[in-house]
């Protein structure tokens, strides 16, 4: 085997440093541009009456891979430090900007509850799972669901084939509400055959938010002892062009209005869980939290990425979420195993 000469090694190292710094420069620009994807005044600059929607819609997508920007910038900073490139400390600036958005997910929110000193007496366990219409690993899904002691299971992308398999193979759970579809819009809700005595299901129905949306959502009203909780299972549109990006904004607004109505008019606690097709640090998602008066259950539990399952962990992002009103605390939260879908399931335990 022919050995590389010292000159060839120097060229290879120089090329590697150049590519890493080029990637870091791209991550820096993406870090900045991602902030402008949801600002109307900036988007209006690019708007044109002959275009369908706004051609700058893709800037909102740059808001999502911030952990990957951190990884690229950290590698560039480390390589620059090894080779004593003083200017490499410039990468600390975009790295810090991204970390400011991501680090709060590792910090638990302030709460009047202290589960270490006062173990919660009322727990509610919910599982959300996007089954994936192309997933045929039925047995893996059944095995995971049967291994959990959930009070409510909310499923998405439920096809007629999936529903038939669930009905014939589930032993611990039964189907309470379902609307299977051949496309990605099918939904279903499962509850245990032996429902908790303290839990009462007051209402379970299919709704559409906004009203003209083709995507069905499951709205569930429960009573846990003397307290009513409104639960919504959602799957928002994925931004793939200007039209879908705008419609996702309309969905977020409609769901935020639903949340406020349940909390203020109906005096209920609220839980919203599902596939949001958005990350927790994006401008759009953070605005949605404010508009809906909601807390993110992910606070204190870290990144917990759920999509896409075919990628290595450092390249995955969290787009499956669970949000709740101030009156509820997340006691435990974890993604489930790979069940053949492009999403990992999400299990959340609440203290009511």
């Amino acid at each position: 085997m022919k050995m590389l000469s010292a000159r060839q090694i120097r060229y290879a190292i120089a090329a590697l440093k150049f590519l890493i710094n080029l990637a870091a420069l791209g991550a820096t620009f993406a870090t900045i541009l991602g902030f402008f994807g949801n600002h109307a005044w900036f988007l209006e600059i690019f708007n044109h009456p002959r275009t369908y929607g706004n051609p700058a819609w893709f800037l909102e997508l740059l808001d999502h891979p911030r952990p990957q920007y951190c990884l690229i910038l950290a590698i560039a900073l480390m390589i620059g430090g090894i080779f004593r490139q003083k200017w490499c400390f410039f990468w600390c600036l975009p790295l810090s900007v991204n970390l400011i958005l991501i680090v709060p997910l590792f910090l638990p929110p302030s709460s009047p509850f202290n589960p270490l000193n006062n173990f919660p007496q009322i727990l509610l366990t919910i599982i959300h799972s996007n089954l994936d219409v192309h997933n045929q690993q039925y047995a893996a899904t059944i095995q995971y669901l049967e291994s959990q002691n959930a009070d409510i299971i909310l499923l998405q992308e439920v096809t007629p084939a999936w529903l038939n398999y669930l009905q014939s193979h589930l032993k611990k759970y039964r189907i309470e509400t379902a609307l299977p579809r051949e496309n990605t819009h099918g939904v279903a809700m499962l509850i245990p055959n032996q429902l908790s005595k303290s839990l009462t299901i007051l209402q379970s129905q299919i709704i559409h938010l906004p009203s003209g949306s083709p995507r069905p959502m499951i709205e569930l009203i429960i009573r846990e002892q003397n307290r009513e909780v409104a639960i919504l299972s959602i799957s928002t549109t994925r931004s793939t062009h200007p039209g879908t990006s705008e419609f996702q904004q309309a969905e977020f607004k409609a769901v935020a209005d639903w949340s406020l109505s349940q909390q203020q008019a109906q005096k209920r606690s609220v839980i919203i869980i599902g596939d949001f097709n958005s990350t927790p640090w994006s401008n759009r998602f953070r605005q949605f939290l404010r508009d809906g008066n909601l807390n993110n259950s992910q606070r204190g539990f870290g990144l917990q990425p759920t999509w896409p399952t075919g990628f290595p962990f450092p390249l995955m992002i969290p787009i499956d979420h669970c949000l709740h009103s101030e009156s509820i605390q997340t006691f435990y939260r974890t993604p489930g195993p790979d069940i053949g879908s492009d999403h990992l399931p999400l299990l959340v335990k609440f203290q009511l």
Side-chain angles (χ1 to χ4, degrees):
M1 182 177 179
K2 186 177 179 180
M3 299 292 292
L4 294 175
S5 66
R7 187 176 185 179
Q8 288 174 320
I9 292 174
R10 286 197 300 270
Y11 282 153
I13 293 175
L16 179 62
K17 289 192 294 183
F18 173 77
L19 291 175
I20 291 174
N21 286 320
L22 185 64
L25 183 63
T28 299
F29 279 113
T31 294
I32 298 169
L33 291 174
F35 286 108
F36 296 101
N38 218 35
H39 288 274
W41 64 267
F42 180 80
L43 297 179
E44 191 62 29
I45 297 174
F46 296 92
N47 208 0
H48 191 280
R50 293 183 181 178
T51 60
Y52 174 60
N54 198 300
W57 65 274
F58 65 89
L59 295 181
E60 197 271 333
L61 298 182
L62 296 179
D63 223 1
H64 301 315
R66 294 195 180 275
Q68 288 72 36
Y69 300 157
C70 288
L71 181 62
I72 293 171
L73 292 164
I75 292 174
L77 186 61
M78 180 181 66
I79 296 298
I82 291 174
F83 289 97
R84 298 181 181 180
Q85 297 173 319
K86 293 183 179 180
W87 59 267
C88 76
F89 288 100
F90 168 78
W91 305 132
C92 289
L93 294 175
L95 178 60
S96 299
V97 169
N98 287 305
L99 288 175
I100 287 171
L101 295 173
I102 294 173
V103 167
L105 295 177
F106 294 84
L107 307 176
S110 57
S111 171
F113 301 102
N114 188 343
L116 295 179
N117 299 328
N118 182 23
F119 190 83
Q121 298 301 311
I122 305 175
L123 287 180
L124 178 69
T125 302
I126 299 179
I127 292 177
H128 150 75
S129 182
N130 184 319
L131 298 179
D132 187 353
V133 295
H134 304 295
N135 176 21
Q136 295 186 352
Q137 296 187 31
Y138 302 117
T141 301
I142 295 296
Q143 182 179 3
Y144 169 69
L145 296 179
E146 290 284 329
S147 67
Q148 306 301 320
N149 293 315
D151 297 297
I152 300 166
I153 297 176
L154 297 164
L155 304 176
Q156 295 172 352
E157 299 200 20
V158 179
T159 63
W162 262 111
L163 188 64
N164 289 336
Y165 195 90
L166 291 169
Q167 288 176 321
S168 59
H169 288 79
L170 283 172
K171 297 179 180 179
K172 287 175 58 176
Y173 302 95
R174 60 182 173 86
I175 295 171
E176 175 72 10
T177 303
L179 181 61
R181 296 277 179 84
E182 292 292 353
N183 58 16
T184 60
H185 297 174
V187 294
M189 183 186 78
L190 315 178
I191 59 173
N193 292 324
Q194 300 295 326
L195 196 63
S196 171
K197 293 182 179 179
S198 64
L199 177 64
T200 303
I201 296 178
L202 302 179
Q203 177 180 306
S204 174
Q205 64 176 343
I206 302 293
I207 65 172
H208 297 265
L209 298 173
S211 58
S213 171
R215 291 177 172 268
M217 301 180 183
I218 294 180
E219 179 190 70
L220 175 65
I221 310 298
I222 65 170
R223 180 185 293 126
E224 183 69 52
Q225 294 189 357
N226 295 320
R227 183 173 180 181
E228 289 191 8
V229 181
I231 303 171
L232 185 66
S233 171
I234 77 169
S235 176
T236 66
T237 303
R238 182 180 299 178
S239 296
T240 56
H241 57 73
T244 53
S245 181
E246 291 176 7
F247 189 71
Q248 187 190 71
Q249 283 187 298
E251 289 175 314
F252 279 165
K253 182 182 184 305
V255 174
D257 291 343
W258 175 90
S259 173
L260 290 180
S261 174
Q262 293 293 334
Q263 293 182 59
Q264 297 173 3
Q266 304 299 329
K267 306 301 181 183
R268 293 169 176 150
S269 300
V270 166
I271 296 172
I272 303 174
I273 190 168
D275 174 8
F276 286 70
N277 276 306
S278 185
T279 50
W281 43 79
S282 76
N283 282 312
R284 182 173 294 181
F285 187 89
R286 289 183 289 132
Q287 183 64 48
F288 170 62
L289 287 177
R290 292 190 291 268
D291 293 344
N293 192 27
L294 296 163
N295 292 339
N296 187 357
S297 68
Q298 197 173 351
R299 285 288 304 270
F301 293 92
L303 288 179
Q304 296 194 340
T306 57
W307 179 89
T309 54
F311 283 32
F313 180 86
L315 300 182
M316 295 175 65
I317 55 176
I319 64 172
D320 296 89
H321 302 291
C322 180
L323 315 177
H324 55 78
S325 52
E326 186 72 30
S327 56
I328 295 176
Q329 182 191 25
T330 302
F331 181 70
Y332 179 77
R333 184 188 196 277
T334 184
D338 186 350
I339 57 174
S341 170
D342 57 340
H343 292 250
L344 295 178
L346 181 63
L347 182 148
V348 188
K349 293 184 179 182
F350 306 94
Q351 178 181 352
L352 303 180

